[in-house]
Structure formats: C-alpha cells, structure tokens
Amino acid sequence: MKGLHLYETDMHKIALILIIISLLFVSSCKDDDETEPVWDPSGLYTLHVSVTGRPPAIITDDSILQYNHQFLYGEIFDTTQTKCCYWRFSKHNCPPTYSISNFRIFESEGQYYLYNGIDYSGGNQISFHIPLSIDDNTLRLETNIPKNEKSFHLASLNSIMTSTAESWPTWFDLIHFQMNKLEDGTTSGSWAIIDKSEYCTTTMSDGSTQSYYM
C-alpha cells in the first residue's frame, strides 16, 4: 500500500508518496461556475516517493484464515509484516525513496480519470483510463469498477510516465484513491496499490507459507 503527499508551485505540481496511506496534492483552480466543480484537479504531477512499509497482500482462496491478517479495500493484508518481493524477473530493489514523473489526472465530458496505458489482448481492450468521482472538493476512485478496469498498465506508459527507481511495477492494481482540497488551498488524501508484476512467499503467524503480492 502506498500513500502520497503532493505540493504545487505556480509552474508545476510536486508530490510526496508515503506507502501506507497519506497524500497531499496541490490543485489547479477555475473561476467559479455553477456548472463546474469548485475544484479542478486536472494536471500532471511529479511524485516524490518515500516508502514507510510494504505489507504483503496475501494471495488466497481460503475462507477460514488462521493467521494474522486484515481486510483493506476488499483485499487481505498482513499488516504485521513489511516485505520486499525480490523476484528473479522483476528484481525489485525496493528503494526507500524515488520519483515518478507525469502522473496525470484529466477531465473528459464532465468525468475525471487517472490516465492509464491502454493495452489489448486477442483484440480485446484489457486496460482503461480509471474513472474518478468528484463531490465538491473530494475526488475519489469510482465505486463498482470491475477489478480488471482498476489496473495500471505502465508498460504502455514508460515513454510518458518515468521513474528514478531502478525497478518499479510494470502493472499494478489501484484499490483506493482519494484527494481532498483543504481550506488553505492545499490538498490531502490517500491511495493504496498492489504490485502484481510478480509474487513471492512469506511465513505467516500460524507457521504456514503463503504467496503474496507487494
């Protein structure tokens, strides 16, 4: 899970991400208009990431779980652990800090989206721009989005969205996202993601071995 903090100058928006929930943005504003929200969060963001923890997202179909776990945003996490999945293909180096450039929020026909890489498989579209709902000064992930439509496909965005990390996910699921504009003009909120590039295993509190995503 990751959280982030963003700050904005007049020329650009800067963000700080903290893994495990918490984010601050700065938004651009429009003139007051009854037909538009008070706050327009559209724009490009630079995310400066500071990692505070990586609780494993447990991969299981078990209906009775005997080990430490917590349900967050419809997923199972062991929040007592922090794990880096050093898989042989992705070779995560799990740096404590890094930056991501050109994280984009845009508006189309009154709907806000997180910009995503659009990919196809067998002639079918398998990734989508991720819809967001806005209520006054709060922007959040739309509810009732199919799981496959909340997946970031960064492999298609590498020429646009870049990172200083030696290795970072090529695709991941966004399970929570929210931004709130505050009275002082700054914004705060949170996000949570699951990296599904690869999986690893970990020992649980009952001694069992379970697979997990990071």
Side-chain angles (χ1 to χ4, degrees), residues 85-105:
C85 185
Y86 294 99
W87 191 251
R88 62 191 179 94
F89 296 122
S90 58
K91 296 182 179 178
H92 283 304
N93 58 336
C94 298
T97 60
Y98 57 95
S99 296
I100 300 172
S101 299
N102 296 324
F103 183 88
R104 180 184 175 193
I105 295 173

Side-chain angles (χ1 to χ4, degrees), residues 201-204 206-211:
T201 58
T202 187
T203 301
M204 307 302 293
D206 65 351
S208 65
T209 298
Q210 299 292 334
S211 298

Side-chain angles (χ1 to χ4, degrees), residues 8-201:
E8 178 184 20
T9 67
D10 291 336
M11 298 300 296
H12 63 282
K13 301 177 182 178
I14 299 176
L16 166 68
I17 300 180
L18 292 179
I19 290 186
I20 307 212
I21 301 182
S22 174
L23 65 100
L24 288 177
F25 293 81
V26 174
S27 65
S28 58
C29 299
K30 290 184 177 180
D31 292 336
D32 290 339
D33 189 324
E34 291 182 359
T35 64
E36 295 180 338
V38 176
W39 170 49
D40 180 5
S42 300
L44 291 173
Y45 295 82
T46 295
L47 312 182
H48 297 294
V49 183
S50 178
V51 179
T52 59
R54 293 182 171 94
I58 307 303
I59 307 169
T60 181
D61 294 323
D62 293 343
S63 58
I64 301 176
L65 308 178
Q66 303 295 328
Y67 44 78
N68 289 334
H69 65 280
Q70 185 174 355
F71 285 94
L72 298 171
Y73 314 116
E75 303 286 347
I76 300 169
F77 291 91
D78 181 357
T79 55
T80 68
Q81 299 190 58
T82 233
K83 304 288 285 187
C84 181
C85 185
Y86 294 99
W87 191 251
R88 62 191 179 94
F89 296 122
S90 58
K91 296 182 179 178
H92 283 304
N93 58 336
C94 298
T97 60
Y98 57 95
S99 296
I100 300 172
S101 299
N102 296 324
F103 183 88
R104 180 184 175 193
I105 295 173
F106 71 98
E107 183 270 336
S108 178
E109 298 182 351
Q111 174 73 59
Y112 285 96
Y113 297 89
L114 291 178
Y115 190 85
N116 196 7
I118 304 301
D119 291 325
Y120 295 84
S121 177
N124 298 316
Q125 185 173 342
I126 60 172
S127 61
F128 304 82
H129 299 307
I130 300 174
L132 305 170
S133 62
I134 190 164
D135 180 15
D136 293 327
N137 290 328
T138 299
L139 186 74
R140 58 172 58 92
L141 187 69
E142 284 272 18
T143 58
N144 302 318
I145 305 173
K147 273 193 173 184
N148 67 315
E149 295 186 17
K150 294 191 289 186
S151 179
F152 261 111
H153 283 235
L154 298 185
S156 295
L157 286 178
N158 281 344
S159 61
I160 302 171
M161 189 184 296
T162 58
S163 173
T164 61
E166 182 177 315
S167 176
W168 62 313
T170 56
W171 65 283
F172 56 83
D173 283 2
L174 182 72
I175 59 175
H176 166 76
F177 184 89
Q178 182 171 315
M179 292 170 60
N180 306 289
K181 183 180 179 183
L182 306 180
E183 291 183 359
D184 62 3
T186 63
T187 41
S188 68
S190 59
W191 79 345
I193 69 173
I194 298 178
D195 172 8
K196 290 191 173 179
S197 301
E198 304 291 351
Y199 69 91
C200 293
T201 58

